[in-house]
Amino acid sequence: MNQEMNGVEPERIQEKIDYVFKVVVIGDSAVGKTQILSRFAKNEFCFDSKSTIGVEFQTRTVTINGKLIKAQIWDTAGQERYRAVTSAYYRGALGAMLVYDITKRQTFDHVARWVEELRSHADSSIVIMLIGNKGDLVEQRVVQTEDAVEFADDQGLFFSETSALSGENVNSAFLKLLEEINKVVSKRSLECNKNIGNNVGTLKGSKIDIISGAELEISEMKKVVPSCSC
Ligand SMILES: Nc1nc2c(ncn2[C@@H]2O[C@H](COP(=O)(O)OP(=O)(O)OP(=O)(O)O)[C@@H](O)[C@H]2O)c(=O)[nH]1
């Protein structure tokens, strides 16, 4: 159950949601993308999880800086042949969790390629969190934290090490990502408000819901400013 709903009744939540943020989870196959998402969305871990086929998403609603935010988190297979992608998957994404496995060097070596894919398909302001998962497998670690920190600094990514199995840092990593997205969106909203106020008198002062681009959510929003590219 969503712990951060702060006592809002479930049936009232939808109409109270301020923003829907689309987040994508990417990274090589078997690094733990699906399990990280399940841990965050449902606080669950499944020991016999199968490789993802196609695209799935889960949601969780949290409060960030007084705003009720629905995180809509998309998961797809890391394996090339199962990937249903790429432009559609990234369209409207405001954040990305880029996951590697601290016990598999190759999954870290491929991170640069995933960053490139993000840079070429996603919005340029997308917030990226690099995640070293399976932190519980201490004895099998082959990717050192310092190497990942250096890479993240170089590329302007946020970074965290998690364990979907124990749950360590999973919440905090997602919340940090959502907080950073909220900063970007709030800034953009202010700029748009200013421009809209200047250009369209009737919209001046009205509340703006910046939508993630996920078509599923559009009917649920009261007011939509389709793509705020100002
Ligand atoms: N020890 C440990 N195992 C994990 C952790 N996270 C995931 N796993 C295991 O790693 C395997 C792959 O996990 P998934 O979540 O299915 O990986 P994925 O990245 O979604 O894989 P694809 O769908 O193929 O892209 C499963 O056997 C999980 O049980 C973790 O934090 N610790």
Side-chain angles (χ1 to χ4, degrees), residues 25 32 41 47 51 70 90 113 141-142 166 178-179 197 200 217:
V25 187
F47 282 93
S51 198
K70 184 174 189 173
Y90 292 121
R113 262 199 245 161
R141 176 192 284 273
V142 293
S166 72
L178 295 170
E179 244 176 66
V200 187
E217 298 297 337

Side-chain angles (χ1 to χ4, degrees), residues 5 30 43 62 67 74 78-79 89 103 118 124 147 161 168 183 204 220 223:
M5 283 175 181
N43 199 17
V62 296
K67 298 267 182 232
W74 292 76
Q79 230 176 319
Y89 186 62
T103 72
L118 272 172
S124 58
D147 294 345
E161 283 186 343
E168 194 176 7
K183 284 183 197 163
K204 197 172 176 182
E220 297 170 357
K223 216 171 280 140

Side-chain angles (χ1 to χ4, degrees), residues 29-35 45 49 51-52 78 133-134 136 164-165:
S29 187
V31 294
K33 298 182 295 296
T34 303
Q35 295 309 314
F45 183 90
S49 71
S51 198
T52 308
N133 189 42
K134 307 198 186 179
D136 55 284
L165 177 61

